[in-house]
Amino acid sequence: MSGLEQRGLRMLRGLIVLLAGLLTLAGPAAAQAPSRFEGWTSAIIQADWRDSRGQPIQAFDNARRDLIRGFLDAGFSRTDMVDYSLRTDSPATVLAGVRAAAAKTTRGCLIYFTSHGAPDGMVFGDAPRMAPDLMSNMVRNSCGARPTVVIISACYSGIFVNALQAPNRMVLTAARRDRPSFGCGADEHYPWFDGCVLESLPTATDFLSLAATTRACVSRKEQEAEVDHPSEPQLFVGADMQMRLPTLRFQRSDSR
């Protein structure tokens, strides 16, 4: 082998070693990139487990289980996440648990309810219905002034929008205040709104994107079912959150 060939071989070997080192360094750095939701409390609350006749159904259980996975995949931490089912947990346990979880973090809150609703409030297990003022107190006492996203999947859930409005809040509801939402029967896998959130989460870039795609999904489902009075999911975004939400991008496996 000539001297020129030997030098070329040494240079090639050096490049291979250098490239291997760079890949080694890049791998852990990418894996350790912090989620934008680090330090956020999240709570997924299944507040009912029955159909309109009081018979047990699985739709709400299925939604809670898969919403946990969906928000974990989006960058929320299981360490800072709590989930409850009013099928087994008492209302007092849920309220205390959410407040205790929020006390351990400082950066933000996500609270998601899935339940039945009525014009005067949301079913909250066997307790009296949760009225707008009670939910407002719960959110304020748990999350305070930190950035907060509240999602309410229930009939007539638009009744909560006015009570929850604040500059630091985003509120997304499954229906306007005088309309039902759909998909809470024994033959449904998820309530339609929850199913649309789950369908939208894998491609949504942030909460604003999630709201837009979820609302479009609900509209599509209702048109296909020829619903006479569409649910019209409602969205409120406070002034502070209008600027903050675009920076809170969901984490994806291809970006970790």
Side-chain angles (χ1 to χ4, degrees), residues 132-175:
D133 59 337
L134 294 177
M135 186 178 291
S136 177
N137 288 338
M138 173 192 176
V139 173
R140 182 176 61 254
N141 292 337
S142 298
C143 301
R146 73 187 78 172
T148 300
V149 176
V150 184
I151 302 177
I152 309 166
S153 175
C155 293
Y156 309 103
S157 45
I159 65 170
F160 294 100
V161 173
N162 287 344
L164 291 173
Q165 285 184 7
N168 64 309
R169 305 243 181 91
M170 169 182 155
V171 183
L172 176 63
T173 71

Side-chain angles (χ1 to χ4, degrees), residues 8 32 40 64-65 77 142 161 164 186 190 202 217 230-231:
Q32 294 171 6
W40 275 59
R64 176 179 55 86
R65 179 197 64 220
S77 166
S142 298
V161 173
L164 291 173
Y190 306 119
C217 172
S231 55

Side-chain angles (χ1 to χ4, degrees), residues 3 9 17 21 43 66 81 129 143 155 175 178 202 205 219 221 232 235-236 240 245 251:
L9 183 59
V17 171
D66 292 343
M81 177 185 287
R129 292 189 186 117
C143 301
C155 293
D178 59 344
T205 55
S219 179
K221 283 181 176 291
E232 297 186 19
L235 174 66
F236 166 81
D240 294 346
L245 283 174
Q251 185 167 309

Side-chain angles (χ1 to χ4, degrees), residues 228-245:
D228 291 332
H229 300 289
S231 55
E232 297 186 19
Q234 300 293 295
L235 174 66
F236 166 81
V237 182
D240 294 346
M241 291 294 270
Q242 291 177 22
M243 297 182 291
R244 186 183 295 270
L245 283 174

